[in-house]
Amino acid sequence: MDMKKIPIAISSCLLGNKVRFDGGHKQSKYCLNTLSDWFEYQPICPEMGIGMPAPRPPIHLMEKGDQIRVVQVDDHSEDMTDELKAFAHEKLSEIDQISGYIVIRNSPSCGMERVKVYHENGNPAGKSDRGIYINEIMKARPELPVEEEGRLQDAKLRENFITRVFAYEDFKKSVRSAPSVDALVKFHSRYKYLVMAHSYDDYKTLGRLVANNDGNSLTLLINKYEQALMSTLKKLANAKSHSNVLYHILGYLKEDLNPTAKQELIHVIEQYRTGIVTLIAPITLINHYIKQYGNEYIAQQAYLNPHPVELGLRNYI
Ligand code: SF4
């Protein structure tokens, strides 16, 4: 995989830019200090983007009839909904150049989920929604990996998001840059086990899509595959599904392994399945055996190295 930094959009305040309504920021050390070795950030502040100053009066989501609007808290006639939606659509050509988006939670513009909605009288409406700007982006580009910075503190969600970013970037470089059925078949061949770890049913569906193209045009086929792939990878893998994949890989290696090595690998997979060790343990052992015995089909599997080992993401899941 090309190790050039991956372009990622990010809520500007997470990089430490003083763009928030109170004139401050919400700098994320994890984004700045760890992920920045791999990601090239493109900061976006939609509220500043529509010309709001910093500091500025706070805004919130408000239920108005059957609509959710974003308005100034102390003056509902100041309604930014249409401008924020239009700004999102203006940004789509830039969004097409990136492979992921990290947003901040609770923002009526950028929050990905559970942003509080208020009644016109100022009381909580007892419901939540997505920030107006990011909702437009996510509706227009459902395949784009989007995650809230706060959720990256959860090891499973963090590993899932970063897996999706690297897979999406790889898909763009391997398939979108020079589209062909051959490129798609080769990509799918490398991603079979990663897909299987996220959903066995989707693994079969994606395989059928690539094998029987049903007369779709190449563009339609690639679009369908991309949507299906990215929605599959969003599903969280778990110890059971990972163990299933690990045993499939063992099936490829067992001819080459002597009985002791095979028993050792089964032992480590079982230790992982029962929660005694983390996923990195069986993966490291398998990568070791693959180096020794060189099974090409397995060696190329994205599942074995979906993201840089230096990020240590599989040490915690
Ligand atoms: S609009 Fe988004 S980027 Fe700008 S300050 Fe609010 S949360 Fe941060």
Side-chain angles (χ1 to χ4, degrees), residues 52-65:
M52 296 176 83
R56 56 186 171 273
I59 58 178
H60 67 190
L61 295 182
M62 187 185 78
E63 191 172 46
K64 196 171 182 187

Side-chain angles (χ1 to χ4, degrees), residues 16 66 94-95 121 133 235 259:
D66 57 358
E94 283 176 45
I95 296 295
N121 65 12
Y133 158 81
K235 296 175 183 171

Side-chain angles (χ1 to χ4, degrees), residues 187-233:
F187 179 89
H188 181 66
S189 172
R190 289 193 292 115
Y191 274 77
K192 273 185 180 172
Y193 285 121
L194 189 63
V195 166
M196 188 192 278
H198 288 259
S199 163
Y200 193 80
D201 287 345
D202 292 1
Y203 159 77
K204 288 193 282 188
T205 306
L206 277 163
R208 275 198 298 270
L209 184 62
V210 173
N212 324 309
N213 180 15
D214 296 337
N216 289 326
S217 70
L218 181 61
T219 307
L220 187 58
L221 172 65
I222 288 176
N223 287 348
K224 272 186 166 181
Y225 183 90
E226 181 183 62
Q227 295 295 331
L229 172 76
M230 297 315 295
S231 102
T232 298
L233 295 183

Side-chain angles (χ1 to χ4, degrees), residues 12-13 16-27 54-56:
S12 182
C13 51
N17 297 322
K18 294 181 174 174
V19 293
R20 275 171 55 86
F21 74 95
D22 58 2
H25 60 76
K26 281 275 183 184
Q27 191 178 81
R56 56 186 171 273

